[in-house]
Amino acid sequence: MARLFVVATPIGNLSDISPRALETLKNCDLIAAEDTRVTRALLNHFDIATPCESNHQHNEDNRARPLVERMLENDLDVAVVTDAGTPCISDPGAILAREAAQAGIEVLAVPGPTAMASALSVSGFDTREFAFYGFLPRQKKDLQEKLRAIARSGVPIGVVHESPHRVIDLVRVIAQTLPGCRISASCDLTKLYEKTIRGTAEEVLAMLLANEKAEKGEYCLVLDLHDVKLEDEQQTVNASLEARIFERLMAGDDLREAGEALMAQGERRNEVYRAKTAVQRFLEDMMEEEESDD
């Protein structure tokens, strides 16, 4: 029976690879790799000769289904890997895993390193409940809207990735948009010069600005939102959620679309659901009254 193995690889320190991961990569028939050059270097280090094919964000849509068909036809075991860390988490692999599962192929996890869990573990924050957001929007307006939505989500910890060349800009916008936010910023996780800095957004920004090497090494930021205080937007003060849903309905949205628009503006899912239910009941009551009058 064909199987797909989702294999985590080191995020920096090669010693972090597990014996099971090495055994899987050695014994599978094919490796679907984000970058075959990066994966080949890893395989050569451990004297593994398994053939590789590329599976990255620009070709996975087109290659996943044909690969799954080959797996079924030839009874292949395939391992999917990314350049570093766990596939399918802000990295390629999810489409291949979905296609394999839908085709009845067993999809198995070979767990290991992930920057998200590593950054959370060294943050010093209360991480019992968190949400992972990957890379945030680049445009400042979109970024501010996303940050406000994250703060209003009700989840007290958020985890994001950022490139070394953009991390200062990101932290600066966080400091401007989320007063009270604390940050644990980790770079070069598991590598020789691993570093984590912690403090308010303003303090972390100052430390990054003072560090000549801040623009080296990928960053994983843990945002502690417990003490964030946002000023209510004017439209939220002036209009209830129910009224805003009615406005969307009058503009041509259906209830689902109206609810999604409000959540995109940062409203909490449970509050939007409550308002949608109230509006739906009101509309149903109105219809019943009209039918009784007829």
Side-chain angles (χ1 to χ4, degrees), residues 181-243:
C181 180
R182 296 184 60 81
I183 298 176
S184 173
S186 298
C187 67
D188 285 328
L189 282 162
T190 77
K191 297 180 181 178
L192 180 61
Y193 296 106
E194 173 180 335
K195 186 177 182 63
T196 297
I197 55 177
R198 306 170 185 83
T200 65
E202 293 81 4
E203 290 169 343
V204 169
L205 177 60
M207 285 185 272
L208 289 171
L209 289 170
N211 181 10
E212 295 179 355
K213 297 182 179 180
E215 293 190 355
K216 295 182 180 180
E218 297 294 324
Y219 280 82
C220 189
L221 279 65
V222 181
L223 311 182
D224 185 346
L225 308 166
H226 283 90
D227 297 326
V228 169
K229 297 291 188 295
L230 292 179
E231 294 183 4
D232 290 335
E233 295 178 357
Q234 191 64 33
Q235 65 173 356
T236 305
V237 174
N238 292 339
S240 67
L241 287 178
E242 290 86 347

Side-chain angles (χ1 to χ4, degrees), residues 55 60 87-89 91-99:
N55 183 76
E60 189 175 13
C88 310
I89 302 176
D91 265 327
I95 298 174
L96 180 56
R98 181 193 68 203
E99 293 290 340

Side-chain angles (χ1 to χ4, degrees), residues 69-208:
E69 291 172 353
R70 284 167 51 202
M71 293 173 66
L72 291 171
E73 182 178 352
N74 299 308
D75 196 24
L76 300 178
D77 281 348
V78 173
V80 57
V81 301
T82 57
D83 293 348
T86 303
C88 310
I89 302 176
S90 197
D91 265 327
I95 298 174
L96 180 56
R98 181 193 68 203
E99 293 290 340
Q102 290 179 348
I105 293 174
E106 188 175 17
V107 181
L108 300 167
V110 183
T114 169
M116 172 184 65
S118 300
L120 282 164
S121 70
V122 299
S123 68
F125 297 153
D126 182 350
T127 60
R128 287 174 293 180
E129 183 181 5
F130 66 89
F132 175 66
Y133 299 98
F135 287 91
L136 299 181
R138 291 192 172 188
Q139 295 299 319
K140 183 175 181 179
K141 181 179 179 181
D142 295 336
L143 174 57
Q144 288 177 317
E145 290 179 357
K146 182 64 176 180
L147 288 171
R148 293 188 187 105
I150 290 172
R152 291 192 175 100
S153 69
V155 181
I157 297 289
V159 186
V160 303
H161 287 325
E162 190 52 275
S163 71
H165 304 295
R166 298 186 57 83
V167 67
I168 288 176
D169 290 337
L170 172 60
V171 175
R172 181 178 285 114
V173 176
I174 292 173
Q176 296 169 349
T177 309
L178 302 180
C181 180
R182 296 184 60 81
I183 298 176
S184 173
S186 298
C187 67
D188 285 328
L189 282 162
T190 77
K191 297 180 181 178
L192 180 61
Y193 296 106
E194 173 180 335
K195 186 177 182 63
T196 297
I197 55 177
R198 306 170 185 83
T200 65
E202 293 81 4
E203 290 169 343
V204 169
L205 177 60
M207 285 185 272
L208 289 171

Side-chain angles (χ1 to χ4, degrees), residues 46-71:
F46 291 104
D47 196 25
I48 296 173
T50 307
C52 297
E53 289 186 5
S54 67
N55 183 76
H56 51 71
Q57 62 176 335
H58 302 298
N59 69 9
E60 189 175 13
D61 271 325
N62 297 323
R63 292 197 175 186
R65 182 165 296 179
L67 177 54
V68 166
E69 291 172 353
R70 284 167 51 202
M71 293 173 66

Side-chain angles (χ1 to χ4, degrees), residues 244-265 272 276:
R244 291 162 65 191
I245 289 174
F246 273 114
E247 290 176 359
R248 304 291 308 191
L249 296 179
M250 294 295 291
D253 285 356
D254 58 26
L255 270 175
R256 178 185 59 81
E257 293 168 336
E260 289 177 349
L262 292 185
M263 285 188 288
Q265 294 170 6
V272 172
K276 282 172 54 181

Side-chain angles (χ1 to χ4, degrees), residues 9-10 14 17 25 37-47:
T9 55
L14 292 182
I17 196 164
L25 295 175
R37 296 166 298 182
V38 174
T39 298
R40 180 50 59 195
L42 174 71
L43 298 178
N44 288 341
H45 180 83
F46 291 104
D47 196 25

